[in-house]
Amino acid sequence: MKALLYVISFLGLALTVVPAFLVFAGAIPWETHATLMFAGTVAWFVTAPFWMHTGSPDAPANPAP
Amino acid sequence: MPSFRTLAERLDAINEFDREPVSEDRLQGPGSFIGLYAGEHVAGTEFVIGPLFVAHGVAAADLFLGLLVGNLLAVLSWAFICAPIATRTRLNLYWKLRKIAGPNLLFLYNIVNALMFCFLAGAMISVAATAVGIPFDMAMPQLSDLYPNSAGWVVTVLLVGAVVTVLAILGFEKIAHFSKVASPWMFLVFVACGVAVLPQLGVHTIGDFWQVASEKIWTGVPMEGRVKFTFWHVTFFAWFCNMAMHIGMADMTILRYARKWTYGFASAFGMYLGHYIAWIASGILVALALQIGHEVAPGPIAYLGAGLAGLVAVLIAGWTTANPTIYRAGLAMQTITPNWKRWKVTLAVGVITTVAALFPALMMRLLDFVALYGLLLMPMGAVIFADFWLLPKLGLRQDYAEWKQLLFSWPAALAWFVTLGACLLLNLAGGVEIFFLGLPGWFIAVALYVGLSLLQQRRAAATAAVTTAPSPEPALGERP
């Protein structure tokens, strides 16, 4: 189950960034990139919180510009 | 009127779990710091800072080289100034400063810090509002807008401010977790936005990039009413936009968990992903917006690059940055209102923040605000540096306020106030722009603190020698 979550999460990240390079290469139109990117966003946020380790120094980060 | 002693007790009560040095078993490896810095510096502000460089007419070569050098200087400041003291003391800024400056001066520092946090969170609420307003066809603030420009803007900001405040009250930790989950995705959104719009600017191969960058994006021509930025402006801004965190020592709070001081170099991941790539990407977006006559606020430019995902990114970036900022401001403000519940303090901070967010000036003049924010807090970091490294070399006692049980250290206070006065003078009389004041300011603060400490400790030693001749005060530098 966890492996499936990993796969979907990384597929989501790939969908977020790869279509932009395809637009740059002239392989897909901007509209397709926007749609795929949104799908990637949904895939990432639906799966990543279940496996992603967010452990870090105990203190919350300083708000930084 | 509350006594000074009571104020000190309130501060201590809030930080009760942080007063001890971090224990060996809670130290963290380098991975934690890489993730933390990368996440912290790919945030909502990046949607504003990149476009402001374009507005200030930075030339392409000045931008790329200035960011390279400035970010390197920032990383070195974290690694060589903040991290060594953090890993040797294992204390956060609060407790270290308390020992040096006394609790009452620390109280004042906390209040200034809290107000700065409110304004920073306000800018982030403004950023988020530019994304929320798009579906409602809200009139977006322009780069030159200082005051609320429409009723729609006011309503949207109030709505976003209310939601951010309520969520900060309900659960800071869950949102902090969410913020970390969003980090890797957010960075990729910046990259994707920048790359996807390049063909619309005329970049069809990598070879086209530099010519388009120089002629259409970072043209070297500032917008009307903006000061022209040079290589030096970019370098100093990149170096000092996090001045409060590195030479101001606020990141002792984080780096005290580092096994080695060299983990300060992990800040490079925040600088070069967030303050290099993300700033360049958002600059590309705003150049396209200006070229096609599109609105230039963060929401619209992100939509231009990534559609709906871009709007989500602006909303999340603004919200997740505003949330910890409101939380931190609430902690500091609680020292003024000790009998209030945490939710009441957070609510009060949220109201102040939301009112500040109504003014687009905070977002559209973010470069100046960020420079001021760092400058106001930096002198106390210089005081910590001087107290830790220089005082022992001069035979003077470190942490003098704690040793003498002083509530207020006048050398630290004067180092802070006189430095700020000198910076103001350099700005008004010398015409030195705010971005450049941090460097002379740091040396002024160090010199003042060392000189005044020498005066204070020599005088105290002389007085003690006269009044208690049979059992003199211990020699300078010697613990009782």
Side-chain angles (χ1 to χ4, degrees), chain B residues 409-430:
Chain B
S409 159
W410 63 265
L414 283 175
W416 188 14
F417 303 144
V418 176
T419 298
L420 294 181
C423 289
L424 187 66
L425 199 67
L426 280 171
N427 180 254
L428 296 178

Side-chain angles (χ1 to χ4, degrees), chain B residues 294-368:
Chain B
H294 197 265
E295 286 160 320
V296 293
I301 64 168
Y303 188 76
L304 206 57
L308 207 48
L311 288 189
V312 174
V314 171
L315 188 61
I316 289 178
W319 169 47
T320 53
T321 316
N323 185 69
T325 314
I326 287 178
Y327 171 82
R328 284 283 172 122
L331 275 183
M333 289 289 191
Q334 212 172 17
T335 57
I336 314 174
T337 54
N339 299 324
W340 289 23
K341 298 275 186 201
R342 174 65 60 81
W343 72 266
K344 273 190 190 173
V345 181
T346 311
L347 182 63
V349 167
V351 169
I352 296 169
T353 300
T354 305
V355 170
L358 290 171
F359 296 87
L362 211 53
M363 173 172 59
M364 299 307 187
R365 297 277 166 183
L366 192 67
L367 301 188
D368 303 81

Side-chain angles (χ1 to χ4, degrees), chain A residues 26-54:
Chain A
I28 60 169
W30 183 91
E31 289 73 15
T32 309
H33 138 79
T35 307
L36 291 174
M37 203 170 166
F38 186 67
T41 298
V42 172
W44 173 256
F45 282 107
V46 166
T47 55
F50 294 103
W51 63 263
M52 197 173 168
H53 172 66
T54 55

